[in-house]
Amino acid sequence: MTKPFNHVAIIGLGLIGGSIGLATQAALPEARVTAFDASEDVRDRARQIGLAHEIMDTPAAAVDGADLVVLCVPVRAMGEAAAALKGALKPDAIISDVGSCKASVAEAITAALPGQTVIPAHPVAGTEHSGPDAGFAELFRNRWCILTPADDAPAAAVGQLSDFWAAMGARVEIMEAKHHDLVLAVTSHVPHLIAYTIVGTASDLEDVTRGEVIKYSAGGFRDFTRIAASDPTMWRDVFLSNKEAVLEVLQRFSEDLSALQRAIRWGDGDTLFDRFTETRAVRRSIIEEGQDDARPDFGRRDHSGAAKDQPPKN
Amino acid sequence: MTKPFNHVAIIGLGLIGGSIGLATQAALPEARVTAFDASEDVRDRARQIGLAHEIMDTPAAAVDGADLVVLCVPVRAMGEAAAALKGALKPDAIISDVGSCKASVAEAITAALPGQTVIPAHPVAGTEHSGPDAGFAELFRNRWCILTPADDAPAAAVGQLSDFWAAMGARVEIMEAKHHDLVLAVTSHVPHLIAYTIVGTASDLEDVTRGEVIKYSAGGFRDFTRIAASDPTMWRDVFLSNKEAVLEVLQRFSEDLSALQRAIRWGDGDTLFDRFTETRAVRRSIIEEGQDDARPDFGRRDHSGAAKDQPPKN
């Protein structure tokens, strides 16, 4: 076990930043937690709900004395957020982030803060909600956090950051930034783009009203709308920052979709059946790995009964 | 209120058939419920868990004396299942079904049972699980059930079937079969095809292992795998039976995806941001309509805490 951080500073108090603030206070009671958000409304709200011990009105004040600074802003805002800390940091402070793309973010932060130790990180966790009220201390529990240190990153700093994320309840993995970006293009970025697309397609049909789409959404569509409810700024930035990997995976997806489309057109039931059978095995593995549970969520039935549904309107 | 059915027969005891058996016994205690399934194992299991009052060994025995027969088999098996009832039905028995495509199913059942009253129906409800153990009585509560009676269908029979589904807890809607098939292509069939596709794409990459896809699935992918875990036979039949509408919606989806792909390639952040903002409104409407709840499901946190997650393995 490495030396725990004495003072953690968080820049950006949305879902992830707020959750880190709460989780750090819960898991590391000895550590001081300070934070900043560019929005005054968010800072006020963060003070009310105690996302950090102290919410500062400038980024420089928030990072003063901190030995870990975590940037929790949209990925294309990372460089600017890092630049705002220049001159205010302890020389041995570790700078990290939580962005969903790592190669471009590492480059932007390193360029903004030359000489500072930068260890990019990505906790693979979240909900479809955003903003300071969306956070909760257990968000990272049993989720993976991927660190993408550069080859010359000091091992002690990597160890300290690993232990920090383990204290948040996360399982830590080390990966090359470029590989991270490809893996996440598959497991997160392209699924989000597809969800956004089909929700848009459904809204634009002439022969099916938006009311009908909403009424009959329990047939599968509503699960896509949950994904497509995620923060637009964050996701715009992700797609622009991880362009190469996203376009590569999209190309393959389109080819695979064309193959199934062709099977439907030509009545090739065997191809459909075989493909649909293979995908079941992936689902089973995800449940075995503890990354989801096996409860039948389409029924949205938890074990306390179906009472959370609203009563019928007619 | 019309006269309730005295005797309901169910053919096929998977998720939907089993749930109808349980829901009918709970909601209509005066009615007799009989059932048949082509699989002896399923019949044995259905007897153990009481999906109906009596599970028969032939379809003819199951429908003997019934005034409502509900066919709950994959859509391309409907015609054969209906033909097996020939000569065993009461002349005034109403024949219905639960298939996810209505035009082709109505045609197959009507052709197999000339002279019989056929009122197709589709409860828009389900889970990713299948088989006799997957059913539960509350599955249809607050979900929509769409009836697609032919123009010359007797109004009394339509009323009786509507009241039956209302007793199951469903909200009932009447629709033309062809329109139903288009609406469901959008809200259910194409979303399932897309989910099956991306899960397949992810499994086939050379540079990302299947283990990585599974480990980091919490970034969005795991929600697709849940949809892609649905019954392969059922879904193969749906795509082949609703070919025209599915191909039409797929074509539009592909165009919309190409537009976003182009925006990513050319760095057009405004197009992405605008699209991602529109889709949020759809999500809000679905929650307001009571078709989903607002809990942050990506965190998979229910109000009893995060204890359902398995402990970390390392």
Side-chain angles (χ1 to χ4, degrees), chain B residues 31-261:
Chain B
R32 175 166 159 78
V33 183
T34 53
F36 168 77
D37 191 281
S39 152
E40 192 176 339
D41 288 349
V42 170
R43 293 199 299 273
D44 286 346
R45 184 64 191 146
R47 284 183 190 112
Q48 283 165 21
I49 55 183
L51 295 183
H53 295 127
E54 206 171 350
I55 313 290
M56 307 301 197
D57 285 326
T58 67
V63 302
D64 185 34
D67 40 14
L68 171 66
V69 175
V70 190
L71 303 176
C72 306
V73 300
V75 290
R76 290 208 305 170
M78 291 285 182
E80 202 180 322
L85 309 180
K86 213 166 171 178
L89 295 163
K90 286 208 313 191
D92 61 349
I94 296 171
I95 315 302
S96 190
D97 75 299
V98 296
S100 194
C101 322
K102 299 271 56 98
S104 61
V105 166
E107 199 180 328
I109 298 177
T110 308
L113 296 171
Q116 206 81 35
T117 299
V118 176
I119 319 265
H122 176 207
V124 185
T127 80
E128 68 275 32
H129 294 188
S130 40
D133 284 292
F136 52 97
E138 303 80 19
L139 179 62
F140 308 111
R141 202 182 285 174
N142 204 27
R143 295 282 86 85
W144 289 92
C145 182
I146 304 174
L147 309 192
T148 62
D151 291 341
D152 59 354
V158 175
Q160 259 191 302
L161 191 63
S162 296
D163 289 343
F164 173 77
W165 277 106
M168 305 290 101
R171 304 153 78 175
V172 177
E173 191 74 63
I174 309 283
M175 206 182 275
E176 216 206 333
K178 211 175 143 67
H179 187 64
H180 165 280
D181 290 354
L182 182 60
V183 171
L184 269 288
V186 182
T187 59
S188 178
H189 306 168
V190 169
H192 272 79
L193 194 74
I194 290 168
Y196 279 122
T197 303
I198 184 70
V199 175
T201 304
S203 311
D204 287 349
L205 295 170
E206 310 85 35
D207 297 333
V208 178
T209 66
R210 192 179 277 222
E212 287 176 317
V213 166
I214 287 159
K215 265 167 91 165
Y216 308 116
S217 59
F221 183 72
R222 64 177 175 173
D223 295 276
F224 286 72
T225 65
R226 198 198 286 124
I227 298 175
S230 299
D231 184 57
T233 305
M234 174 194 155
W235 282 99
R236 176 199 63 198
D237 279 16
V238 165
F239 294 119
L240 297 178
S241 300
N242 197 20
K243 183 194 292 199
E244 203 183 318
V246 165
L247 291 177
E248 161 70 19
V249 175
L250 264 182
Q251 184 57 40
R252 285 165 179 262
F253 168 79
S254 295
E255 288 165 18
D256 292 343
L257 186 62
S258 294
L260 291 184
Q261 194 166 348

Side-chain angles (χ1 to χ4, degrees), chain A residues 126 129 142 173 179 188 201 207 212 215 219 221-222 226 229 256 280 288 291-292 294 297-298 300 310, chain B residues 126 129 142 173 179 188 201 207 212 215 219 222 226 229 256 280 291-292 294 297-298 300 310 313:
Chain A
H129 295 189
N142 204 28
E173 190 75 62
H179 187 64
S188 178
T201 304
D207 297 332
E212 287 177 318
K215 265 167 92 165
F221 183 72
R222 64 177 175 174
R226 197 198 287 125
D256 292 344
R280 279 198 145 175
E288 283 161 18
Q291 293 303 309
D292 208 345
D297 184 67
F298 289 176
R300 299 289 192 270
Q310 295 171 16
Chain B
H129 294 188
N142 204 27
E173 191 74 63
H179 187 64
S188 178
T201 304
D207 297 333
E212 287 176 317
K215 265 167 91 165
R222 64 177 175 173
R226 198 198 286 124
D256 292 343
R280 278 198 146 176
Q291 292 303 310
D292 208 346
D297 184 68
F298 289 176
R300 299 287 192 271
Q310 295 172 16
K313 284 180 188 156

